Amino acid sequence: MRMLDEKLYDIYDEVLRRNPGETEFHQAVHEVLDSLGPVIAKHPQYADAAIIQRLCEPERQIIFRVPWVDDRGAVRINRGFRVEFNSALGPYKGGLRFHASVYLGIVKFLGFEQIFKNALTGMPLGGAKGGSDFDPKGRSDGEVMRFCQSFMTELYRHLGEHTDIPAGDIGVGQREIGYLFGQYKRITNRYESGVLTGKGITWGGAQVRTEATGYGLVFFVDTMLSARGDSFEGKRVVISGSGNVALHAAEKVHQLGGTVVACSDSTGYVVEEKGIDVELLKAVKQQHRGRIADYVAARGADAHLCLEGSIWEVPCDIALPCATQNELNGSDAAALIRNRCRIVAEGANMPTTPSAVKLLTEAGVLFAPGKAANAGGVATSALEMQQNASRDSWTFEHTEARLAEIMRSIHDRCLATADEYGAPGSYVTGANIAGFTHVADAMLALGLV
Ligand code: NDP
Ligand code: 2IT
């Protein structure tokens, strides 16, 4: 990792000391602090009020037992988390992740990122994240429902449309949000639509929320391209993952004239020179909860299944990591550079390791960090909350136009801030500083709370 400014180094050291073993959280904090040297030099009031130290300490951390019974009648125990990180700009907001790898360090890295991402959207949203080490893979609908009901039976007391509003993330989609909302409604006896986002359209959800993260990512990249007189037309795109974010990113790339030549899941990746059949992949993944091998089997001879090696070896103009943290490392970055990739934009949260980011930026590859490029999901959650509050519902076209406009404005704010702080063209510096100053100013205004 690069050396931090001396004052920031002391803060980082204290974060390491206070949060032992939480490596992903350390990484996320370091990545933000790395950009803040010029900010504390220019604005001593942030240091005087210990804004950075306060930002690194969550306002509230909730850890709870989630007992449930599987289909064979056996008792299972998982651990539930909700880290309410910062509420200076609005109620706590951020997704829930159900994945076997979830522990406090992952929830805290995601919650920390969410503070700055939400600030960048310009919407009134605080930052939070939650989830569980529950693994939904291979579980029946009944098991997932019982797990969600047990999870919400504890979490509901901490939620509310003005308090804390979860949504989806890895392993949590519309099915899980439905079960969680049903249990919240039953316990509280209130149809409080605004307490969760990512709901189904017929029960309080908003158009475009399902598509928003992937579509927003591609709108962001489209703005990067058009700022340089270019477009998606004819571009080869590699997308990791084949979940909510990846599938909708792929759909939008094809709509804009690019070709998605590879995508993946945790078992392997598929390469298809003529382009992935996104509709078929969606059906395999979403309707049948199948694996990438099931897609290849359904697709036939044109699709090539790879169970070893890295998807980032596939030559492309644009790489969109949309699966999970630290999935694109230094040797992957070297392969992308060798194959003349021009843009890497993060659909996932923190998918690119620090050494990969360094290699890419030094080689002149344009790099868009997740807190800017994948903010379309949470921004559309804010639009869902707005519609819930006014008992209104907007059309797909209107909502998509709002999303495109939000992504353009995040892009422009990143570049303007990077210019202002002497790092022209750096989306990382721009995103970190613009997100930080927005939330820091609100924290100063609200006093020492
Ligand atoms: P999904 O659960 O819908 O899909 C996740 C995809 O990533 C799957 O293809 C999954 O493969 C793959 N994946 C997950 N974990 C791993 C792993 N450890 N190793 C390899 N592959 C993995 O999640 P989403 O699409 O919602 O989320 C993807 C990323 O986008 C996450 O980083 C999330 O935090 C981020 N994000 C999501 C937003 C949203 O609105 N949903 C908003 C902003 C960011 P498999 O099925 O084999 O596990
Ligand atoms: O990482 C993210 O921004 C999300 N998973 C979406 C959060 C939300 O509240 O919509």
Side-chain angles (χ1 to χ4, degrees), residues 82 92-97 110 113-114 117-118 125 128-129 165-170 197-198 209 213 245 347-349 370 374-382 385:
R82 186 73 178 164
Y92 305 110
K93 180 84 193 93
L96 297 173
R97 176 177 292 190
L110 290 163
E113 289 278 293
Q114 201 81 43
K117 181 195 308 192
N118 293 3
L125 302 170
K129 202 80 183 192
I165 304 105
D169 194 81
I170 291 177
T197 59
R209 176 60 190 90
T213 310
V245 179
N349 287 305
N374 73 34
V378 76
T380 309
S381 280
M385 290 159 67

Side-chain angles (χ1 to χ4, degrees), residues 305-441:
L305 179 66
C306 304
L307 295 174
E308 278 172 15
S310 164
I311 191 173
W312 309 117
E313 301 277 347
V314 180
C316 64
D317 302 302
I318 298 168
L320 304 177
C322 294
T324 193
Q325 64 278 352
N326 293 325
E327 54 161 313
L328 196 165
N329 61 25
S331 62
D332 297 325
L336 288 168
I337 294 163
R338 213 167 38 243
N339 290 325
R340 299 182 191 286
C341 173
R342 289 184 41 211
I343 295 181
V344 175
E346 297 184 324
N349 287 305
M350 208 170 74
T352 320
T353 64
S355 64
V357 176
K358 187 164 181 287
L359 282 173
L360 292 168
T361 38
E362 282 172 4
V365 177
L366 293 176
F367 177 76
K371 59 173 82 65
N374 73 34
V378 76
T380 309
S381 280
L383 301 180
E384 182 172 334
M385 290 159 67
Q386 206 172 316
Q387 290 165 80
N388 291 150
S390 57
R391 300 185 181 282
D392 198 1
S393 58
W394 307 343
T395 63
F396 194 95
E397 292 70 25
H398 173 72
T399 319
E400 191 182 20
R402 289 282 303 265
L403 170 63
E405 182 46 41
I406 290 166
M407 297 317 292
R408 236 191 321 276
S409 98
I410 295 173
H411 172 276
D412 293 353
R413 195 164 326 133
C414 288
L415 285 191
T417 309
D419 271 348
E420 187 186 337
Y421 285 88
S426 170
Y427 289 97
V428 171
T429 305
N432 284 336
I433 297 182
F436 171 80
T437 51
H438 194 48
V439 69
D441 289 340

Side-chain angles (χ1 to χ4, degrees), residues 138-194:
R139 293 281 164 210
S140 68
D141 278 357
E143 290 178 319
V144 170
M145 181 178 77
R146 290 194 293 280
F147 175 81
C148 288
Q149 290 177 340
S150 181
F151 185 86
M152 186 53 93
T153 301
E154 173 57 34
L155 191 63
Y156 89 95
R157 67 189 87 247
H158 304 287
L159 306 183
E161 62 184 346
H162 301 295
T163 309
D164 185 351
I165 304 105
D169 194 81
I170 291 177
V172 177
Q174 211 175 93
R175 174 182 62 170
E176 290 74 18
I177 295 293
Y179 296 148
L180 291 164
F181 183 66
Q183 185 73 349
Y184 183 87
K185 181 175 82 63
R186 186 179 192 192
I187 295 172
T188 61
N189 194 31
R190 281 200 308 269
Y191 205 107
E192 189 186 336
S193 299

